[in-house]
Structure formats: structure tokens, C-alpha cells
Amino acid sequence: MRNLLNFILRYSTWFVFLFYVLLSCVLIFSNSLYRQSIYLTSANSVSSTLNSGVGEVTGYFALKSRNASLEQRVARLEAEVLNSRRQIAAYRAVLADSLGTNADMKSYRFDYIMAPVITSSTHRKRNYITVEKGTADGVRPGMGVVDHNGLVGVVNVVGPHTARIISVLNDAQKFSVKLKGTDFVGTLVWKGNDPHVAYVEEIPRHVRCHLGDSIVTSGFSTSFPGGIPVGIVMAQVRGDDDNYFTLKVRLASDLGNLRSVSIIRDIYAAELDTLANYDLK
Amino acid sequence: MNRTIFTTALLFIALLLLQVLVCNHIVLFGAAVPFIFIYFIVRQPISMSTNLLLTLSFLLGLGVDLFSDTAGMNALACTVLAVCKKKVFFSFVQKDDFSVTFTPGIASMGFGAYFRYLFSMVAIYCVLIFSIEYFSFSDVKEIILKASASCVLTTALLLAVDSLAFSKREKRL
């Protein structure tokens, strides 16, 4: 026993070293995306408080360009609203009976929660975004996140007042997307390096697609409604498999310059999940 | 003794905050990230027990991890760096002109030796952290690019910190 103690004391440095190395390896490799403690993420209360303090100051930096892009967006939406109103009015004139007077106002399936961004990164291999909304505001893991330009990510870990979002710029997270105007669904992946470029994989070979075509969300999940802009096709590259090809896509949202995002709440989410798991029970 | 503990704690907290609140948001050309906080490991006295240095380094790395969503990566790299520290130091300084309360610095080592020591430590850290982050041979090009860019930036920043913060006090000693 004494020999053992002597041995341990003599080589204590090695034991301490091995202990810390093992501990950090456990942290690194147990870091499965969905089972993570809130305390180990940037959404914990200490880091989010400190970081939001910094955000108070830096939030003013890119205000001018953000304002311009928001104004553009507002103008586009205004035009869309006017057009839709006119269309609805025209349809009502034709089919007055079958369309109730307020039928179009009743059923909103998706609801948006605005959330200020505390931190975000784009230079790592796995990038995350922390926002200042949590369970108290109705945010739940798995909800989709967009900004005014398009797809941003999906909610991962949620605390009472903060949440961590897995960014599109994260090689461990994939998104279901499709070519706008068609039903050809592919997988959006990010392969590192450029925060503006991602790839859409598994598009069948026979699909005709052109440079400048839009990629939008497929709507095959409860996270995102279909048709949210994701990006624009830049090039067509050879995939790993000869039966499919891969599209190089310029992402619509500027993830390096996020100040606030909208978290999408699907009112039917709980219902759809129970249906999907019905057989399993 | 109390004063040493106090200044060490202050340096620890100051560097941690500087790293997570400022330096983490600076990324030059999408590749060069300044790792200011390893200055803490670089500047600890050689006489400090390795166990203590390992513990402090691990905690420092863990602190940075908690802020930047890199669970365990910086902690691992810091621990390995702390264990390498003595070896690196003695490869640039003769064992016989070394006193017990020796703190690595420009004043105590001379600029040449200190620069080589600092550069080696930063280089080890940068290679470690990017290898851990990418963790695959297919990304070797990326790792080398990011590690060398970050290494140059960090070394330059740390030399600047040295000339600002510590030069006056040490010359008086």
C-alpha cells in the first residue's frame, strides 16, 4: 500500500495530466449535438450575461447597413401584401360563397419569436449562435431559426432565458432543402471555410437546374415551413455518388453579421411528433 | 506570497475575459484568431509546481470553452501546453543560469531567447487547438493555414502586451 502511494505521489504529475486529458476528451467526445447540458454551452447564465453586455456596445456597429437591408425587405413585403390583397379581393369577387369573409385570417400555423443575438461565430468547424430568448418565451429545442434574409439554423439547447442555436455553418447539422418550384429535395451541408458557401447534396442527376436558381426549405419537418429562402445556386459540382450531383450554394443570410433572428414556432409540432412516433409506442 | 496569488488570480481573470469578450470576436481573413489567454501559461514562474500549473491551465481552457461552445477543446490544448512548458523553456535556457523564482520574460531571458520560447509555445498551442477542432487528416491544409496565421497574430499581440504591461516593472527588479 505504501509503495503504491509512493508510486502515485512520485508520478503525480502524470496522473494529474492524464486526469485532465481524459476529462477534456470526455467533454469533447460526449458532445453529441442534442444531449448537452446547458451549463457547458454559451447559453449558461454567466457567459450570456457577460456577452450580452458586450453586445449592448457592439450592437450599434453595423446599424446602417442592417437598416438598409431591413428597409429593402419591408418594401418587398409591402408590395407582396398589396398584391396578395388585390388577388384575394379578385378571387372573392369570383367565388364569394366558398371563401368565408375571414377564412384567410384564421389559420396561422407558424408563429415567430423575435430573439436578439448574444454571440455568434463563423470561423469554427462547428459554429453556434446564442440568443436571448428561452423556455420562458416558448422556445423549445428543434425549432427553426431564420433572419430577414433566410435560413439561419435550428435551436439546440434551451435555458430559462437563453438558447443556443446550431448554425447552418456547422458540419454536424444537415437541413432538408429543395429547388424552388420543383419537388426535388436535397440535403444542405456546410463543409467549412467560407461562411457564405454551402452545398446541397443528393439532387438526382436528371434534374435540370441553372445558375442563379433559388434553394428553399422543403417544409418536410416541423422546424421550418416550406419555401424559406436558403440560397442561390452558384455552380454544379460532382458528388461522391454518380447518381446524384451536388450544388454549390451562396447562402442568403449573412451569418457573420447577425443582430436578431426569428425563432419559428409550429403550432402543430406536438401533434405531428406524436403522430410520427405513434407506431413506436 | 499573498500578493503573488492575487496578481496570478487577476491575470487569470483578466486574460480570460479579454479572450472571450474581445479576442474571440476577432478573426482576421477568416483564419487568424488571437489566443491571448495562453499568455497566462507562458508567464507563470518555472518554479510553480507542474500539478498546480496543469490545474490552472485546465480551468483556464475550460473557461474559454464555456464561452465559445468548444466543449473541452481549449481545456485539452491548454493541459498539453502546460505539460510541455518546462521542456520548451529549458531548450532555450541553460539549466545552470536559472534561479528558483524565475519568470519567463524579456527582462529575465533576453529578447532572443524569450521570443523563441514565446513563439514555440504559441505554435504548439495553435497546432494543437486546430488539430483537435478538425480532427481529421483530410483537413491538413486547413489546419496548417489556420495554425500558422493564428500563430503569427498571437505572437505579435503577446509581444505587444509584453512591451506595454510588464517592461517597466521588470527593469526595476
Side-chain angles (χ1 to χ4, degrees), chain A residues 107-113 137-145 155 219-226 228 262-274:
Chain A
S107 54
Y108 285 131
R109 179 173 158 194
F110 295 98
D111 183 18
Y112 285 63
I113 305 168
D137 309 285
V139 179
R140 299 282 176 274
M143 285 182 173
V145 181
V155 176
F220 288 168
S221 69
T222 55
S223 300
F224 295 100
I228 287 178
S262 322
I263 300 168
I264 302 173
R265 179 165 52 189
D266 183 354
I267 290 159
Y268 300 156
E271 210 172 306
L272 283 168
D273 285 343
T274 30

Side-chain angles (χ1 to χ4, degrees), chain A residues 16-80:
Chain A
V16 172
F17 174 66
L18 282 179
F19 174 69
Y20 287 136
V21 166
L22 280 178
L23 201 58
S24 19
C25 286
V26 167
L27 285 178
I28 295 173
F29 293 109
S30 69
N31 179 10
S32 101
L33 277 177
Y34 287 99
R35 261 179 277 156
Q36 211 171 45
S37 156
I38 179 98
Y39 301 106
L40 289 175
T41 69
S42 61
N44 74 58
S45 53
V46 180
S47 21
S48 55
T49 312
L50 278 172
N51 276 323
S52 67
V54 173
E56 288 285 314
V57 180
T58 54
Y60 293 99
F61 286 175
L63 220 50
K64 206 171 173 184
S65 62
R66 282 187 47 74
N67 208 18
S69 107
L70 281 174
E71 270 168 6
Q72 262 175 19
R73 164 88 172 161
V74 167
R76 208 165 56 227
L77 286 176
E78 233 162 38
E80 219 164 274

Side-chain angles (χ1 to χ4, degrees), chain A residues 121 203 219 225 270:
Chain A
S121 68
I203 296 278

